[in-house]
Amino acid sequence: MMQNNVKIAITGGICSGKSTVAKIIKEQGFTVLSCDKIYCELLEDLSFVNKIVKEFGNVTNSNGTLNKAKLAQIVFSDKEKLQVLNSITHPQIMNIAMQLMGGSGVYFCEVPLLFESGFEALFDNVIVVLRDKEERIKELMQRLKINRNQALSRIYSQLDYENRNFAKYYVIHNNNEIIKLKTKVFDVLTKIKKDYK
């Protein structure tokens, strides 16, 4: 018999493979939430978008929706502005996530900036996905069609995953082989079932 309510965060640096790990867990029948998805849904709420506009000025498209590229340009070149954006968005996103994980069972939630926001305390445990930095840079450049310096500024705006001790959490090293990654995820799920029974 599992504990009544277990919340596990899934985190890691940008392009580490968090979403792939989340997808594998979801395929095993678990409830998996995504903070990015919650954020996208929040952006459909004009009063939420207006809070961002009030702080950053004209960062909308002609139809009033948020222009994410314009906003990214501002915040990824200025750490203080990024902190301001996070202080507007993160508490609201986490508030919704916590409500959605309120029932009984085991919940997983993909949280990109978990440690940076201090939200790890809200979870019973954390799955940290690690991946070689060069691989992350390469994928980020391809995914966002940006140059190496722009990719590095995004990586450096996050936690230094290479030099942090995650011994008390579940750690998955993603070496780009999906079969091996699945095995590692299954091993972690087995440990979670054992730890929270």
Side-chain angles (χ1 to χ4, degrees):
M1 182 68 185
M2 294 285 290
Q3 231 173 269
N4 193 25
N5 176 278
V6 180
K7 300 181 190 78
I8 311 275
I10 304 165
T11 198
I14 194 165
C15 288
S16 58
K18 296 182 296 294
S19 299
T20 309
V21 167
K23 189 168 167 273
I24 296 165
I25 293 171
K26 197 172 188 177
E27 284 165 0
Q28 297 308 299
F30 289 97
T31 301
V32 182
L33 304 176
S34 158
C35 284
D36 283 346
K37 191 165 180 282
I38 293 169
Y39 178 53
C40 287
E41 285 165 8
L42 272 171
L43 292 181
E44 288 168 27
D45 174 356
L46 283 180
S47 66
F48 179 74
V49 173
N50 285 339
K51 283 183 194 170
I52 297 171
V53 171
K54 203 173 158 190
E55 197 60 55
F56 295 99
N58 180 22
V59 284
T60 53
N61 300 307
S62 53
N63 63 355
T65 57
L66 189 76
N67 184 321
K68 284 195 200 169
K70 215 185 250 187
L71 183 62
Q73 237 173 348
I74 295 168
V75 298
F76 287 113
S77 58
D78 185 329
K79 267 200 163 163
E80 277 177 29
K81 284 183 175 160
L82 182 61
Q83 280 173 343
V84 170
L85 177 67
N86 291 345
S87 73
I88 296 168
T89 58
H90 290 182
Q92 211 158 334
I93 292 167
M94 200 44 65
N95 199 12
I96 293 168
M98 286 296 141
Q99 285 172 20
L100 294 170
M101 294 187 287
S104 62
V106 184
Y107 294 89
F108 293 86
C109 186
E110 192 185 335
V111 190
L113 298 170
L114 180 82
F115 297 109
E116 292 90 331
S117 310
F119 289 140
E120 69 271 25
L122 299 173
F123 291 86
D124 295 289
N125 216 318
V126 181
I127 295 171
V128 181
V129 186
L130 300 177
R131 186 183 180 194
D132 176 71
K133 197 200 290 182
E134 280 306 316
E135 294 292 337
R136 291 169 59 208
I137 293 165
K138 210 159 59 180
E139 187 177 320
L140 196 49
M141 286 167 67
Q142 280 171 348
R143 190 198 288 179
L144 298 178
K145 310 277 183 281
I146 57 178
N147 63 37
R148 187 180 172 87
N149 283 345
Q150 288 170 312
L152 282 170
S153 80
R154 291 200 178 211
I155 285 171
Y156 292 141
S157 74
Q158 296 187 341
L159 188 82
D160 179 5
Y161 280 88
E162 275 82 19
N163 298 299
R164 178 88 176 240
N165 183 358
F166 296 113
K168 65 177 180 173
Y169 302 119
Y170 305 109
V171 176
I172 291 175
H173 290 274
N174 173 17
N175 59 0
N176 306 332
E177 290 179 54
I178 192 69
I179 301 293
K180 283 185 179 172
L181 186 62
K182 277 188 174 179
T183 305
K184 289 171 184 177
V185 174
F186 295 159
D187 287 347
V188 165
L189 289 175
T190 302
K191 280 180 197 158
I192 289 168
K193 284 175 190 167
K194 205 167 71 188
D195 292 345
Y196 293 98
K197 65 176 184 222

